[in-house]
């Protein structure tokens, strides 16, 4: 079933269906679902398998990741040094169904995700994955993130090439073996089927709506954790 926050907090921002004041009065608190304690970045090992062409002659590279509502994911990676652009959007399903209303039904195959453009000479794909697993979301939750429920909120990596697939797959195995998470990692490494940017009102949502109840409760703490646990990568 859809998350109670979806038709309230999220569509309220998109279409003005209800006011943020109603959420603040108690609807947000009622929708909160307990989640596992996230692992600390200091406990996560660096990826043992790294990309062999990091830097190279490529000025920029792209990474597509999904981990719950794309608002918070976007906000986190916009604060990572070496990242030049983050776009929210849809990945994993056909282009014909890549719009918010259809994806929200949870039956399109899409996940809400982000496309990260970055300078591999300044930040590696492996470092992006470490941020992804440590602070951007909880990788042990299956087909949900906190109050958001459905396959569209799954934890997934969409490698752009065999090199990214090799690094991502090896890192998941490494993290599971390390035992830093209390449950097995649910993140899937999926086939690249393209990426469709989300509607304009979803872009830079956290930066444009800093007092939105969902942003305050779910997204800003992730950015704060990035700053606290990755001071060398935070900007």
């Amino acid at each position: 079933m859809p998350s109670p926050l979806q038709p309230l907090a999220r569509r309220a921002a998109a279409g003005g269906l209800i006011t943020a004041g109603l959420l603040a009065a108690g609807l947000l608190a009622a929708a909160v679902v307990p989640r596992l304690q996230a692992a600390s970045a200091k406990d996560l090992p660096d990826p043992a398998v790294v990309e062999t062409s990091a830097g190279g002659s490529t000025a920029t590279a792209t990474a597509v990741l999904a981990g719950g509502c794309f608002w918070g994911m976007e906000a986190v990676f916009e604060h990572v040094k070496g990242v030049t652009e983050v776009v929210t959007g849809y990945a994993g399903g056909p282009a014909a169904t890549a719009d918010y209303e259809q994806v929200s039904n949870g039956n399109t195959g899409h996940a809400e995700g982000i496309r990260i453009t970055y300078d591999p000479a300044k930040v590696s794909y492996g470092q992006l994955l470490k941020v992804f697993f440590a602070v951007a979301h909880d990788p042990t939750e299956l087909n949900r993130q906190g109050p958001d429920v459905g396959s569209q909120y799954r934890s997934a990596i969409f490698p752009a090439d065999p090199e990214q697939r090799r690094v991502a797959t090896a890192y998941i195995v490494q993290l599971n073996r390390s035992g830093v998470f209390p449950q097995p990692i649910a993140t899937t490494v999926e086939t690249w089927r393209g990426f469709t940017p989300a509607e304009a009102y979803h872009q830079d949502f956290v930066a444009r709506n800093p007092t939105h109840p969902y942003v305050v409760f779910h997204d800003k703490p992730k950015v704060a954790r990035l700053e606290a646990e990755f001071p060398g990568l935070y900007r």
Side-chain angles (χ1 to χ4, degrees):
M1 62 183 294
S3 160
L5 283 180
Q6 179 186 18
L8 300 180
R10 306 189 65 193
R11 288 200 173 112
L17 299 182
I18 62 171
T19 67
L22 290 176
L23 291 175
L27 292 177
L28 180 64
V32 173
V33 176
R35 54 176 295 176
L36 295 168
Q37 177 63 40
S40 172
K42 64 181 177 58
D43 296 326
L44 264 67
D46 293 328
V49 175
V50 298
E51 55 271 52
T52 58
S53 57
S57 59
T58 303
T60 60
T62 59
V64 174
L65 306 172
C69 175
F70 44 26
W71 295 348
M73 288 278 291
E74 178 190 43
V76 167
F77 284 95
E78 283 181 335
H79 286 279
V80 173
K81 290 180 181 178
V83 170
T84 57
E85 183 185 46
V86 186
V87 177
T88 60
Y90 311 107
T97 59
D99 65 74
Y100 185 69
E101 291 302 320
Q102 294 188 77
V103 172
S104 293
N105 291 327
N107 56 13
T108 65
H110 282 290
E112 289 193 11
I114 56 171
R115 184 183 64 204
I116 305 164
T117 302
Y118 64 100
D119 182 348
K122 296 180 179 179
V123 62
S124 70
Y125 184 66
Q127 287 175 304
L128 295 177
L129 291 182
K130 188 173 182 179
V131 170
F132 172 69
F133 284 109
V135 302
H137 80 311
D138 182 347
T140 68
E141 292 194 301
L142 179 64
N143 290 335
R144 74 177 305 152
Q145 280 296 303
D148 296 319
V149 180
S151 62
Q152 69 271 33
Y153 299 113
R154 68 188 182 273
S155 174
I157 299 170
F158 299 88
D161 53 45
E163 185 78 342
Q164 287 190 356
R165 177 172 293 276
R166 182 177 69 92
V167 173
T169 302
Y171 196 36
I172 291 173
V173 172
Q174 180 185 356
L175 291 177
N176 274 325
R177 288 177 176 172
S178 72
V180 296
F181 290 100
Q183 298 291 334
I185 288 175
T187 308
T188 54
V189 180
E190 303 188 18
T191 300
W192 172 258
R193 291 189 174 89
F195 179 88
T196 303
E199 295 79 358
Y201 59 80
H202 286 304
Q203 306 300 331
D204 297 311
F205 190 90
V206 172
R208 293 186 295 102
N209 300 273
T211 62
H212 190 290
Y214 187 99
V215 168
V216 171
F217 194 88
H218 294 285
D219 298 334
K220 283 190 172 182
K222 296 179 182 181
V223 178
R225 285 195 66 197
L226 174 71
E227 182 177 14
E229 301 193 24
F230 291 91
L233 281 179
Y234 184 84
R235 63 174 183 184

